[in-house]
Amino acid sequence: MARDHRTVLVTGGAGFVGSHLATMLKRDRDGARVIAFDNLKRRGSELALARLAAAGVEFVHGDVRAAADLAEVGAFDLLVDCSAEPSVHAGYDGGAEYLVDTNLGGTARCLDAARRHGADVLFLSTSRVYPIAGLRGLPLERRGDRLDLAPDAAGTGWTHAGVARDFPLEGARSLYGATKLASELLVHEYGAMYGLRTVVNRCGVLTGPWQMGKVDQGFFVLWAARHLYGGPLAYMGFGGEGLQVRDILHVADLYDLLARQLAALDRHAGRTYNVGGGRELSLSLRELSVLCGAAAGTDRTIGGVADTAPADVPWYVTDAGEVRAAAEWMPQRRLDAILEEVFRWLTDQRSLLEPILGMSGGHRTRG
Ligand SMILES: NC(=O)c1ccc[n+]([C@@H]2O[C@H](COP(=O)([O-])OP(=O)(O)OC[C@H]3O[C@@H](n4cnc5c(N)ncnc54)[C@H](O)[C@@H]3O)[C@@H](O)[C@H]2O)c1
């Protein structure tokens, strides 16, 4: 049954994705209450508060690990869950508690709240649910300035077009990926047991202005910022040549997809999709350096660190064919337009952003 979604709760609503989705949901839902709920753990999330207020989004300071914080929000009829510790490298230093409690426990608390109010649920999952060994096992070869698959190569759940939803799930995937996959299972169970309408979108790399890129997450913005503001950059892992590849998706294109899913929720309920920009929006770090150098007017020599971090994968391109067909959706924003927008934002907001994204924000980038 269609619902109006007059009260929308966006957890992680001061984060990069959450703040964009909250302001766009508010823009497109006349008279609706949109609540951004966040504990401001991520450095830079506090900068979203002024944007949220200007857009008419209410902010609630709270923690998804605390059921009482979520109860204080009151009733809502749509939950968009964007709260997370989003780094695939989190936990490797031995501190897994925050990651597991937020990414898995927090999902459970959010689902409990959604169940109490009979709310619909959009859950943002990740391409990192796919195992590290499986992705490292793809038959990649160097093609120009990137690693790539041969055009006719194919296997279970992957082709030249990218990694599809049915890529095999057996194997270790990082605690980040594991908490997200476990959360997906919970989302489906709450859907089946309590009749909630839920959609899971497994996203590849998302980007756009207001992403507080850091060494271990948000490489596209950090790479651009370091070219513009200065600050160290290094190609890390896989021989240190910068040949590793990702596809990117602009957060506004993600929003367009979610809006389509919400408009036809009965059709999408219970589904899991792989979501990303796809091959046309893919690039290697080395290729990104060329684009950033041109945009910043610099010609930097970037060194390499050959050692590969345990969770790194050399290539991930999303095969989003399934969701493109199901939602009649196509990303509209191209690579050059996204880069131009990010550089314009970095230039306009330099005094605000340089302390976070420049020299002091970390010293190397994993990509
Ligand atoms: N950015 C990407 O490339 C990407 C890719 C795939 C999936 N995702 C998923 O999208 C979602 C949003 O990611 P993002 O890039 O906006 O990250 P982000 O770090 O910018 O936003 C997450 C927000 O959650 C908040 N938060 C963290 N712990 C919390 C807690 N215990 N209680 C309440 N709030 C808490 C943080 O302060 C932050 O504002 C995450 O679920 C992430 O896993 C992101």
Side-chain angles (χ1 to χ4, degrees), residues 12 14-17 38-42 45 62-65 82-84 86 98 102 124-126 176 180 203-206 211 217:
F16 162 57
V17 176
D38 201 296
N39 70 352
L40 302 182
K41 171 81 161 42
R42 177 76 179 251
S45 286
D63 198 305
V64 290
R65 295 170 297 171
C82 305
S83 57
Y98 187 84
T102 290
L124 287 193
S125 190
T126 171
Y176 169 64
K180 286 298 207 174
C203 303
V205 173
L206 303 167
Q211 183 168 38
Q217 200 257 346

Side-chain angles (χ1 to χ4, degrees), residues 7 21 37 43 191 208 248 259 268 285 288 308 313 345 358:
T7 305
L21 298 183
F37 177 100
R43 186 172 177 215
I248 63 165
H268 296 288
L285 273 181
L288 179 59
T308 303
V313 296
W345 165 70

Side-chain angles (χ1 to χ4, degrees), residues 4-8 22-35 55-58 77:
D4 244 5
H5 299 143
R6 304 309 298 160
T7 305
V8 181
T23 53
M24 289 187 272
L25 282 160
K26 178 70 185 168
R27 179 195 66 195
D28 294 348
R29 289 186 143 61
D30 210 16
R33 270 185 84 197
V34 178
I35 302 158
V57 174
E58 295 169 40
D77 50 17

